[in-house]
Amino acid sequence: AKARGRNGFSFYAPSMTGEGVERLRLETFLRRSIEKDEIFLNYQPQVEIDTGRLVGVEALVRWNHPELGLIPPIRFIPLAEDTGFINQLGKWVLHEACRQMVRWQDAGLHVPKIAVNLSAKQFERGSIVNMVADILRDTGLEPQRLQLEVTESVIMNTGDAMVFINDLHSIGVALAIDDFGTGYSSLAYLKQLPVQTLKIDRSFIKDISTDVNDEAIAIAIIQLGKSMNLSVIAEGVETEEQAAFLLRHGCNLAQGYFYSRPVAADDMLVRWKK
Ligand code: C2E
Ligand code: CA
Ligand code: CA
Ligand code: CA
């Protein structure tokens, strides 16, 4: 918005630049998005490469605003984190994901496991374990079928993350390190944490078969996982060549467009219910 200065010059207050206004508008909309039913989840299958069997899904949040349309999570997750709304959103996501597992079960589809992303901010409240336990109790989902995904930076930069992760483990919830290899290179935390799964970041998978460094990193992560008895899943698998490479090097789990894009809950039934 433009304002008239004292001596007739026009100026823009910093917070009123186009970007600031846009952000404020988005923030205001976001705060009401849950109650307005604009938030929903998509689910991306995780499969066993050699058999094509469904081993799980990752829940991915979506925001469909009536005027702005579908807004990608990279645009609203950081905003939700900055404003604190992520706590409400994260709780809604977790609840909905667990509920969906039960709905699929009732509809005759057994999805072995659901992965849900957690933000660093969600660890700062202190009550994350109680929240997860409440949701599991409320939905009746077995804790073993829930896997929480956290990035290395969440683990390294969040004060009590280690404590909360151990607490989550003690109630039976599984843990995956997301975007593995892109964060801190300190691997010491791996042996201290009850982690079950490493997710190889898409950036290392993308150029497999053309970039020898990416290949070397992918192989190293697979080996690391093997020797620490962790399961390793590759994300962003888009081609058969990538899948073949992974299988050849001992990684039998994948997630990516080659198998399926993230889909609506009902579409899971169409493709995967026998
Ligand atoms: P992420 O956790 O690394 O999720 C994987 C992202 O890669 C998803 O993007 C997915 O749609 C995309 N993807 C999957 N397979 C392929 C592929 O083969 N090729 C390409 N090009 N992309 C692929 P999406 O859904 O846009 O989510 C982006 C990020 O937003 C996520 O990255 C995650 O960090 C965050 N996010 C999504 N949902 C949630 C949530 O419920 N809570 C939190 N805290 N973060 C979320
Ligand atoms: Ca993830
Ligand atoms: Ca990821
Ligand atoms: Ca990633």
Side-chain angles (χ1 to χ4, degrees), residues 41 44 58-62 72-74 77 81 86 93 116-119 122 149 178-179 199 201-202 235-238 255-258 260 262:
L41 298 182
Q44 189 174 34
E58 178 176 5
L60 294 159
V61 70
R62 300 289 180 259
I74 39 156
I77 292 288
E81 287 172 339
I86 192 69
V93 167
V116 177
N117 294 285
L118 284 189
S119 280
Q122 291 178 269
E149 295 195 356
D178 205 357
D179 304 340
K199 291 192 85 174
D201 190 62
R202 177 157 61 91
E235 63 176 24
V237 175
E238 294 186 350
Q255 178 183 342
Y257 294 172
F258 178 61
S260 171

Side-chain angles (χ1 to χ4, degrees), residues 204 210-219:
F204 303 124
T210 55
D211 187 321
V212 290
N213 292 321
D214 284 344
E215 286 188 358
I217 292 170
I219 292 169

